[in-house]
Amino acid sequence: MTYEEVMSYLEEVGSEQTRNIFAKHGAREFYGVKVADLKKILKYVKKDQKLALKLYDSGNSDAMYLAGLAVDAKLMTKEQLQSWVKEAYWYMLSEYTVAWVAAESPYALELAREWMQSDEEMIACAGWSTYSSYLGYAGADDLDLQEVARLLEQVRVGIHEAPNRVRFDMNGFVISTGVYVPELREAAQRVAKEIGKVHVDVGDT
């Protein structure tokens, strides 16, 4: 499919109901396409790296999300991923699209570590989400258990003072550690018990 055909499809299947939901969560330029409808066209878009990159560059949130599903993460350069995270202005893009792609890229840990330290909320969210996703993709021998343990401690002492969506993703990191890292499951459970309820403002929803 061409870029124009994909964008035409997205405009056609977008709905007012989904647009209203996305708008309440922070989306700006978009048609309001359900993920299920994005997956229907995915089989025609995948394996076209150039098209996927152009879709992300469109600035249309629906197209950007589709790009994350279609792109080959192994072919992404560090510069492209840095560009993507800077354009990920709301959590559906930063916590999912960018994080999923970065986690499967050759630069997963390098970028996760960098982004987690960012003062920009959405970039920090992408960092924590990237590391969480990486825990699921990586083999046991690829994990630095001491680093993961240090990050759990960082969450324990700092989660309630962190920016709003970062709290959400820090909490997700604790969950991912408990699920994917058997060696640290008990530690993750202890941290989860100590931090207790994590309050996140999800907007007008």
Side-chain angles (χ1 to χ4, degrees), residues 53-83:
L53 293 173
K54 188 171 182 179
L55 289 171
Y56 195 90
D57 288 343
S58 71
N60 179 285
S61 181
D62 302 305
M64 295 166 80
Y65 193 96
L66 177 60
L69 298 175
V71 79
D72 186 337
K74 305 297 185 192
L75 299 179
M76 292 289 284
T77 67
K78 189 191 306 183
E79 291 73 23
Q80 287 171 329
L81 290 167
Q82 292 284 27
S83 176

PDB file of all heavy atoms in Angstrom, residues 53-83:
ATOM      1  N   LEU A  53       8.199   4.221   8.515  1.00  0.00           N
ATOM      2  CA  LEU A  53       8.872   5.424   8.995  1.00  0.00           C
ATOM      3  C   LEU A  53       8.131   6.685   8.557  1.00  0.00           C
ATOM      4  O   LEU A  53       8.018   7.654   9.317  1.00  0.00           O
ATOM      5  CB  LEU A  53      10.310   5.453   8.476  1.00  0.00           C
ATOM      6  CG  LEU A  53      11.245   4.372   9.039  1.00  0.00           C
ATOM      7  CD1 LEU A  53      12.580   4.398   8.316  1.00  0.00           C
ATOM      8  CD2 LEU A  53      11.439   4.543  10.540  1.00  0.00           C
ATOM      9  N   LYS A  54       7.606   6.669   7.346  1.00  0.00           N
ATOM     10  CA  LYS A  54       6.856   7.825   6.850  1.00  0.00           C
ATOM     11  C   LYS A  54       5.558   8.005   7.636  1.00  0.00           C
ATOM     12  O   LYS A  54       5.138   9.133   7.911  1.00  0.00           O
ATOM     13  CB  LYS A  54       6.559   7.668   5.359  1.00  0.00           C
ATOM     14  CG  LYS A  54       5.951   8.915   4.727  1.00  0.00           C
ATOM     15  CD  LYS A  54       5.868   8.783   3.211  1.00  0.00           C
ATOM     16  CE  LYS A  54       5.310  10.060   2.592  1.00  0.00           C
ATOM     17  NZ  LYS A  54       5.244   9.983   1.111  1.00  0.00           N
ATOM     18  N   LEU A  55       4.929   6.906   8.005  1.00  0.00           N
ATOM     19  CA  LEU A  55       3.706   6.982   8.798  1.00  0.00           C
ATOM     20  C   LEU A  55       3.977   7.637  10.146  1.00  0.00           C
ATOM     21  O   LEU A  55       3.201   8.470  10.617  1.00  0.00           O
ATOM     22  CB  LEU A  55       3.110   5.589   8.999  1.00  0.00           C
ATOM     23  CG  LEU A  55       2.482   4.947   7.755  1.00  0.00           C
ATOM     24  CD1 LEU A  55       2.135   3.489   8.021  1.00  0.00           C
ATOM     25  CD2 LEU A  55       1.235   5.731   7.318  1.00  0.00           C
ATOM     26  N   TYR A  56       5.088   7.262  10.763  1.00  0.00           N
ATOM     27  CA  TYR A  56       5.406   7.881  12.057  1.00  0.00           C
ATOM     28  C   TYR A  56       5.689   9.369  11.883  1.00  0.00           C
ATOM     29  O   TYR A  56       5.266  10.198  12.701  1.00  0.00           O
ATOM     30  CB  TYR A  56       6.599   7.197  12.715  1.00  0.00           C
ATOM     31  CG  TYR A  56       6.725   7.544  14.186  1.00  0.00           C
ATOM     32  CD1 TYR A  56       6.086   6.772  15.159  1.00  0.00           C
ATOM     33  CD2 TYR A  56       7.436   8.662  14.593  1.00  0.00           C
ATOM     34  CE1 TYR A  56       6.173   7.107  16.500  1.00  0.00           C
ATOM     35  CE2 TYR A  56       7.528   9.012  15.936  1.00  0.00           C
ATOM     36  CZ  TYR A  56       6.894   8.221  16.888  1.00  0.00           C
ATOM     37  OH  TYR A  56       6.974   8.580  18.219  1.00  0.00           O
ATOM     38  N   ASP A  57       6.365   9.715  10.834  1.00  0.00           N
ATOM     39  CA  ASP A  57       6.714  11.115  10.584  1.00  0.00           C
ATOM     40  C   ASP A  57       5.505  11.979  10.246  1.00  0.00           C
ATOM     41  O   ASP A  57       5.607  13.206  10.234  1.00  0.00           O
ATOM     42  CB  ASP A  57       7.729  11.213   9.444  1.00  0.00           C
ATOM     43  CG  ASP A  57       9.110  10.727   9.857  1.00  0.00           C
ATOM     44  OD1 ASP A  57       9.374  10.631  11.073  1.00  0.00           O
ATOM     45  OD2 ASP A  57       9.921  10.436   8.958  1.00  0.00           O
ATOM     46  N   SER A  58       4.362  11.336   9.980  1.00  0.00           N
ATOM     47  CA  SER A  58       3.159  12.093   9.611  1.00  0.00           C
ATOM     48  C   SER A  58       2.665  12.977  10.743  1.00  0.00           C
ATOM     49  O   SER A  58       1.990  13.985  10.500  1.00  0.00           O
ATOM     50  CB  SER A  58       2.035  11.129   9.205  1.00  0.00           C
ATOM     51  OG  SER A  58       1.532  10.444  10.343  1.00  0.00           O
ATOM     52  N   GLY A  59       2.955  12.609  11.987  1.00  0.00           N
ATOM     53  CA  GLY A  59       2.435  13.354  13.121  1.00  0.00           C
ATOM     54  C   GLY A  59       1.022  12.970  13.500  1.00  0.00           C
ATOM     55  O   GLY A  59       0.490  13.432  14.511  1.00  0.00           O
ATOM     56  N   ASN A  60       0.390  12.107  12.703  1.00  0.00           N
ATOM     57  CA  ASN A  60      -0.950  11.620  13.010  1.00  0.00           C
ATOM     58  C   ASN A  60      -0.823  10.454  13.983  1.00  0.00           C
ATOM     59  O   ASN A  60      -0.142   9.466  13.697  1.00  0.00           O
ATOM     60  CB  ASN A  60      -1.646  11.169  11.722  1.00  0.00           C
ATOM     61  CG  ASN A  60      -3.037  10.627  11.972  1.00  0.00           C
ATOM     62  OD1 ASN A  60      -3.198   9.521  12.464  1.00  0.00           O
ATOM     63  ND2 ASN A  60      -4.052  11.398  11.617  1.00  0.00           N
ATOM     64  N   SER A  61      -1.457  10.553  15.130  1.00  0.00           N
ATOM     65  CA  SER A  61      -1.268   9.566  16.192  1.00  0.00           C
ATOM     66  C   SER A  61      -1.639   8.150  15.752  1.00  0.00           C
ATOM     67  O   SER A  61      -0.964   7.180  16.114  1.00  0.00           O
ATOM     68  CB  SER A  61      -2.089   9.954  17.423  1.00  0.00           C
ATOM     69  OG  SER A  61      -1.893   9.035  18.459  1.00  0.00           O
ATOM     70  N   ASP A  62      -2.716   8.007  14.990  1.00  0.00           N
ATOM     71  CA  ASP A  62      -3.119   6.683  14.510  1.00  0.00           C
ATOM     72  C   ASP A  62      -2.044   6.084  13.607  1.00  0.00           C
ATOM     73  O   ASP A  62      -1.685   4.916  13.731  1.00  0.00           O
ATOM     74  CB  ASP A  62      -4.443   6.762  13.749  1.00  0.00           C
ATOM     75  CG  ASP A  62      -5.556   7.337  14.590  1.00  0.00           C
ATOM     76  OD1 ASP A  62      -5.809   6.809  15.684  1.00  0.00           O
ATOM     77  OD2 ASP A  62      -6.165   8.337  14.154  1.00  0.00           O
ATOM     78  N   ALA A  63      -1.520   6.902  12.716  1.00  0.00           N
ATOM     79  CA  ALA A  63      -0.474   6.444  11.801  1.00  0.00           C
ATOM     80  C   ALA A  63       0.812   6.132  12.561  1.00  0.00           C
ATOM     81  O   ALA A  63       1.530   5.179  12.230  1.00  0.00           O
ATOM     82  CB  ALA A  63      -0.217   7.506  10.738  1.00  0.00           C
ATOM     83  N   MET A  64       1.104   6.923  13.580  1.00  0.00           N
ATOM     84  CA  MET A  64       2.306   6.702  14.378  1.00  0.00           C
ATOM     85  C   MET A  64       2.222   5.378  15.145  1.00  0.00           C
ATOM     86  O   MET A  64       3.195   4.632  15.241  1.00  0.00           O
ATOM     87  CB  MET A  64       2.520   7.868  15.345  1.00  0.00           C
ATOM     88  CG  MET A  64       2.803   9.190  14.636  1.00  0.00           C
ATOM     89  SD  MET A  64       2.672  10.641  15.715  1.00  0.00           S
ATOM     90  CE  MET A  64       4.273  10.581  16.543  1.00  0.00           C
ATOM     91  N   TYR A  65       1.051   5.105  15.684  1.00  0.00           N
ATOM     92  CA  TYR A  65       0.866   3.837  16.398  1.00  0.00           C
ATOM     93  C   TYR A  65       0.990   2.663  15.432  1.00  0.00           C
ATOM     94  O   TYR A  65       1.633   1.655  15.739  1.00  0.00           O
ATOM     95  CB  TYR A  65      -0.501   3.823  17.077  1.00  0.00           C
ATOM     96  CG  TYR A  65      -0.670   2.710  18.091  1.00  0.00           C
ATOM     97  CD1 TYR A  65      -0.441   2.950  19.452  1.00  0.00           C
ATOM     98  CD2 TYR A  65      -1.072   1.428  17.714  1.00  0.00           C
ATOM     99  CE1 TYR A  65      -0.610   1.931  20.386  1.00  0.00           C
ATOM    100  CE2 TYR A  65      -1.232   0.421  18.640  1.00  0.00           C
ATOM    101  CZ  TYR A  65      -0.998   0.676  19.978  1.00  0.00           C
ATOM    102  OH  TYR A  65      -1.155  -0.330  20.905  1.00  0.00           O
ATOM    103  N   LEU A  66       0.396   2.796  14.260  1.00  0.00           N
ATOM    104  CA  LEU A  66       0.501   1.755  13.237  1.00  0.00           C
ATOM    105  C   LEU A  66       1.952   1.544  12.832  1.00  0.00           C
ATOM    106  O   LEU A  66       2.393   0.409  12.628  1.00  0.00           O
ATOM    107  CB  LEU A  66      -0.342   2.143  12.015  1.00  0.00           C
ATOM    108  CG  LEU A  66      -0.288   1.190  10.816  1.00  0.00           C
ATOM    109  CD1 LEU A  66      -0.775  -0.210  11.190  1.00  0.00           C
ATOM    110  CD2 LEU A  66      -1.115   1.755   9.665  1.00  0.00           C
ATOM    111  N   ALA A  67       2.701   2.618  12.731  1.00  0.00           N
ATOM    112  CA  ALA A  67       4.116   2.511  12.371  1.00  0.00           C
ATOM    113  C   ALA A  67       4.865   1.639  13.367  1.00  0.00           C
ATOM    114  O   ALA A  67       5.725   0.827  12.993  1.00  0.00           O
ATOM    115  CB  ALA A  67       4.742   3.904  12.313  1.00  0.00           C
ATOM    116  N   GLY A  68       4.550   1.791  14.639  1.00  0.00           N
ATOM    117  CA  GLY A  68       5.202   0.989  15.653  1.00  0.00           C
ATOM    118  C   GLY A  68       4.897  -0.493  15.523  1.00  0.00           C
ATOM    119  O   GLY A  68       5.733  -1.344  15.842  1.00  0.00           O
ATOM    120  N   LEU A  69       3.708  -0.811  15.038  1.00  0.00           N
ATOM    121  CA  LEU A  69       3.337  -2.212  14.825  1.00  0.00           C
ATOM    122  C   LEU A  69       4.000  -2.775  13.570  1.00  0.00           C
ATOM    123  O   LEU A  69       4.275  -3.976  13.490  1.00  0.00           O
ATOM    124  CB  LEU A  69       1.813  -2.336  14.687  1.00  0.00           C
ATOM    125  CG  LEU A  69       0.963  -1.924  15.891  1.00  0.00           C
ATOM    126  CD1 LEU A  69      -0.517  -2.010  15.524  1.00  0.00           C
ATOM    127  CD2 LEU A  69       1.257  -2.806  17.097  1.00  0.00           C
ATOM    128  N   ALA A  70       4.249  -1.916  12.604  1.00  0.00           N
ATOM    129  CA  ALA A  70       4.708  -2.372  11.294  1.00  0.00           C
ATOM    130  C   ALA A  70       6.221  -2.347  11.119  1.00  0.00           C
ATOM    131  O   ALA A  70       6.764  -3.089  10.305  1.00  0.00           O
ATOM    132  CB  ALA A  70       4.062  -1.507  10.199  1.00  0.00           C
ATOM    133  N   VAL A  71       6.897  -1.496  11.862  1.00  0.00           N
ATOM    134  CA  VAL A  71       8.319  -1.296  11.629  1.00  0.00           C
ATOM    135  C   VAL A  71       9.128  -2.511  12.088  1.00  0.00           C
ATOM    136  O   VAL A  71       8.716  -3.245  12.988  1.00  0.00           O
ATOM    137  CB  VAL A  71       8.795  -0.016  12.362  1.00  0.00           C
ATOM    138  CG1 VAL A  71       9.006  -0.290  13.858  1.00  0.00           C
ATOM    139  CG2 VAL A  71      10.038   0.556  11.733  1.00  0.00           C
ATOM    140  N   ASP A  72      10.279  -2.720  11.464  1.00  0.00           N
ATOM    141  CA  ASP A  72      11.206  -3.765  11.891  1.00  0.00           C
ATOM    142  C   ASP A  72      12.163  -3.135  12.901  1.00  0.00           C
ATOM    143  O   ASP A  72      13.049  -2.353  12.536  1.00  0.00           O
ATOM    144  CB  ASP A  72      11.983  -4.311  10.697  1.00  0.00           C
ATOM    145  CG  ASP A  72      12.853  -5.508  11.063  1.00  0.00           C
ATOM    146  OD1 ASP A  72      13.205  -5.664  12.260  1.00  0.00           O
ATOM    147  OD2 ASP A  72      13.209  -6.286  10.163  1.00  0.00           O
ATOM    148  N   ALA A  73      11.979  -3.468  14.175  1.00  0.00           N
ATOM    149  CA  ALA A  73      12.771  -2.842  15.238  1.00  0.00           C
ATOM    150  C   ALA A  73      14.263  -3.095  15.074  1.00  0.00           C
ATOM    151  O   ALA A  73      15.087  -2.252  15.448  1.00  0.00           O
ATOM    152  CB  ALA A  73      12.304  -3.347  16.601  1.00  0.00           C
ATOM    153  N   LYS A  74      14.618  -4.240  14.517  1.00  0.00           N
ATOM    154  CA  LYS A  74      16.033  -4.580  14.359  1.00  0.00           C
ATOM    155  C   LYS A  74      16.739  -3.662  13.371  1.00  0.00           C
ATOM    156  O   LYS A  74      17.967  -3.539  13.389  1.00  0.00           O
ATOM    157  CB  LYS A  74      16.179  -6.028  13.882  1.00  0.00           C
ATOM    158  CG  LYS A  74      15.497  -7.059  14.765  1.00  0.00           C
ATOM    159  CD  LYS A  74      16.088  -7.107  16.152  1.00  0.00           C
ATOM    160  CE  LYS A  74      15.455  -8.246  16.962  1.00  0.00           C
ATOM    161  NZ  LYS A  74      15.775  -8.166  18.396  1.00  0.00           N
ATOM    162  N   LEU A  75      15.961  -3.023  12.493  1.00  0.00           N
ATOM    163  CA  LEU A  75      16.542  -2.141  11.484  1.00  0.00           C
ATOM    164  C   LEU A  75      16.574  -0.681  11.920  1.00  0.00           C
ATOM    165  O   LEU A  75      17.128   0.161  11.212  1.00  0.00           O
ATOM    166  CB  LEU A  75      15.763  -2.257  10.171  1.00  0.00           C
ATOM    167  CG  LEU A  75      15.743  -3.648   9.520  1.00  0.00           C
ATOM    168  CD1 LEU A  75      14.918  -3.610   8.231  1.00  0.00           C
ATOM    169  CD2 LEU A  75      17.152  -4.145   9.240  1.00  0.00           C
ATOM    170  N   MET A  76      15.996  -0.392  13.063  1.00  0.00           N
ATOM    171  CA  MET A  76      15.954   0.990  13.523  1.00  0.00           C
ATOM    172  C   MET A  76      17.329   1.444  13.981  1.00  0.00           C
ATOM    173  O   MET A  76      18.051   0.710  14.671  1.00  0.00           O
ATOM    174  CB  MET A  76      14.954   1.130  14.675  1.00  0.00           C
ATOM    175  CG  MET A  76      13.511   0.928  14.264  1.00  0.00           C
ATOM    176  SD  MET A  76      12.858   2.282  13.253  1.00  0.00           S
ATOM    177  CE  MET A  76      12.606   3.547  14.496  1.00  0.00           C
ATOM    178  N   THR A  77      17.681   2.661  13.621  1.00  0.00           N
ATOM    179  CA  THR A  77      18.938   3.233  14.102  1.00  0.00           C
ATOM    180  C   THR A  77      18.673   3.941  15.431  1.00  0.00           C
ATOM    181  O   THR A  77      17.531   4.277  15.771  1.00  0.00           O
ATOM    182  CB  THR A  77      19.511   4.248  13.104  1.00  0.00           C
ATOM    183  OG1 THR A  77      18.629   5.389  13.037  1.00  0.00           O
ATOM    184  CG2 THR A  77      19.654   3.626  11.711  1.00  0.00           C
ATOM    185  N   LYS A  78      19.752   4.195  16.144  1.00  0.00           N
ATOM    186  CA  LYS A  78      19.617   4.919  17.406  1.00  0.00           C
ATOM    187  C   LYS A  78      19.056   6.317  17.153  1.00  0.00           C
ATOM    188  O   LYS A  78      18.214   6.816  17.917  1.00  0.00           O
ATOM    189  CB  LYS A  78      20.962   5.008  18.102  1.00  0.00           C
ATOM    190  CG  LYS A  78      20.884   5.547  19.530  1.00  0.00           C
ATOM    191  CD  LYS A  78      22.256   5.875  20.096  1.00  0.00           C
ATOM    192  CE  LYS A  78      23.199   4.698  19.998  1.00  0.00           C
ATOM    193  NZ  LYS A  78      24.516   5.023  20.629  1.00  0.00           N
ATOM    194  N   GLU A  79      19.493   6.934  16.080  1.00  0.00           N
ATOM    195  CA  GLU A  79      19.025   8.275  15.758  1.00  0.00           C
ATOM    196  C   GLU A  79      17.527   8.288  15.462  1.00  0.00           C
ATOM    197  O   GLU A  79      16.810   9.220  15.866  1.00  0.00           O
ATOM    198  CB  GLU A  79      19.806   8.821  14.552  1.00  0.00           C
ATOM    199  CG  GLU A  79      21.273   9.117  14.823  1.00  0.00           C
ATOM    200  CD  GLU A  79      22.130   7.859  14.963  1.00  0.00           C
ATOM    201  OE1 GLU A  79      21.720   6.798  14.439  1.00  0.00           O
ATOM    202  OE2 GLU A  79      23.200   7.935  15.610  1.00  0.00           O
ATOM    203  N   GLN A  80      17.048   7.272  14.766  1.00  0.00           N
ATOM    204  CA  GLN A  80      15.620   7.191  14.485  1.00  0.00           C
ATOM    205  C   GLN A  80      14.813   7.024  15.764  1.00  0.00           C
ATOM    206  O   GLN A  80      13.763   7.657  15.953  1.00  0.00           O
ATOM    207  CB  GLN A  80      15.343   6.029  13.522  1.00  0.00           C
ATOM    208  CG  GLN A  80      15.784   6.303  12.090  1.00  0.00           C
ATOM    209  CD  GLN A  80      15.716   5.079  11.207  1.00  0.00           C
ATOM    210  OE1 GLN A  80      15.905   3.949  11.671  1.00  0.00           O
ATOM    211  NE2 GLN A  80      15.461   5.287   9.926  1.00  0.00           N
ATOM    212  N   LEU A  81      15.293   6.188  16.659  1.00  0.00           N
ATOM    213  CA  LEU A  81      14.587   5.978  17.921  1.00  0.00           C
ATOM    214  C   LEU A  81      14.592   7.244  18.770  1.00  0.00           C
ATOM    215  O   LEU A  81      13.593   7.564  19.428  1.00  0.00           O
ATOM    216  CB  LEU A  81      15.221   4.817  18.689  1.00  0.00           C
ATOM    217  CG  LEU A  81      14.981   3.435  18.066  1.00  0.00           C
ATOM    218  CD1 LEU A  81      15.900   2.400  18.693  1.00  0.00           C
ATOM    219  CD2 LEU A  81      13.524   3.013  18.236  1.00  0.00           C
ATOM    220  N   GLN A  82      15.696   7.986  18.753  1.00  0.00           N
ATOM    221  CA  GLN A  82      15.743   9.246  19.486  1.00  0.00           C
ATOM    222  C   GLN A  82      14.747  10.246  18.903  1.00  0.00           C
ATOM    223  O   GLN A  82      14.094  11.006  19.636  1.00  0.00           O
ATOM    224  CB  GLN A  82      17.164   9.829  19.433  1.00  0.00           C
ATOM    225  CG  GLN A  82      18.212   9.043  20.202  1.00  0.00           C
ATOM    226  CD  GLN A  82      18.144   9.236  21.703  1.00  0.00           C
ATOM    227  OE1 GLN A  82      17.096   9.528  22.261  1.00  0.00           O
ATOM    228  NE2 GLN A  82      19.279   9.074  22.369  1.00  0.00           N
ATOM    229  N   SER A  83      14.629  10.237  17.590  1.00  0.00           N
ATOM    230  CA  SER A  83      13.655  11.113  16.936  1.00  0.00           C
ATOM    231  C   SER A  83      12.235  10.702  17.299  1.00  0.00           C
ATOM    232  O   SER A  83      11.381  11.556  17.586  1.00  0.00           O
ATOM    233  CB  SER A  83      13.852  11.070  15.417  1.00  0.00           C
ATOM    234  OG  SER A  83      12.862  11.835  14.757  1.00  0.00           O
TER     235      SER A  83
END
